[in-house]
Amino acid sequence: MKALVIIDMQIEMQHRIEAGRDCVNADAPIRIATLAGAFRQQGLPVIHVRHRDGNPKSPLHADSVGYSPMPCAEAIEGEAVFVKQTSSAFASTDLAAHLQNEGITELVVTGAVAGFCVNSTVRSGADLGFNMTVVRDAVIGFDLPAAGQTAQVIFDVTMAHLEADFALLVDASAVMAE
């Protein structure tokens, strides 16, 4: 069985976009909401992953407004929500055990941020034997100003690495056509 995984689509991502941060796929939330609706309509699981930072000054601290899920990532009753404190959704949660218990072998991954949590989750999932698909136009990427790297460069390199050895890359339209 396959499931949609929505990674770290929290209000902080919207704040970054609204602040004008260099970004790839600022419209990903629309695609994610559409994909979530399609999976729900087909009776397929939608799994939510949220990042929680222990630093009270972090925009992803549980008490921060940035921690809340974006509307596209609101869980409905019965959907699994995993809260992680690491980059990979597998490293600090029971996600792998949940997937195995539910008979889920294929993950369709969306969310934020391409070069960080999406990247490490996809690689970990592949290493654990899950069939990984990344919906490239439903993944947000940001720049690394301190490193002088644009969002597009980071996104393109990350997607190339994932496609080379860890995941199938598709656009949302391809997932919707299934």
Side-chain angles (χ1 to χ4, degrees), residues 124-152:
S124 294
D127 287 347
L128 291 170
F130 294 100
N131 294 317
M132 306 300 288
T133 298
V134 176
V135 186
R136 78 176 125 231
D137 59 348
V139 172
I140 293 177
F142 292 104
D143 62 347
L144 286 175
Q149 298 298 316
T150 68
Q152 192 67 59

Side-chain angles (χ1 to χ4, degrees), residues 35-113:
L35 288 166
F39 270 69
R40 290 171 179 142
Q41 188 173 16
Q42 294 175 42
L44 295 171
V46 177
I47 298 169
H48 305 266
V49 178
R50 299 189 183 130
H51 190 89
R52 183 178 61 212
D53 193 323
N55 180 347
K57 294 181 181 182
S58 169
L60 291 173
H61 185 271
D63 294 333
S64 171
V65 73
Y67 177 76
S68 298
M70 293 173 68
C72 68
E74 288 279 353
I76 64 170
E77 186 175 336
E79 291 181 341
V81 177
F82 293 90
V83 178
K84 64 182 180 60
Q85 295 177 318
T86 55
S87 184
S88 170
F90 290 99
S92 59
T93 72
D94 293 329
L95 177 59
H98 172 78
L99 297 171
Q100 291 167 344
N101 289 338
E102 297 295 317
I104 298 168
T105 58
E106 180 182 345
L107 301 180
V108 178
V109 179
T110 65
V113 171

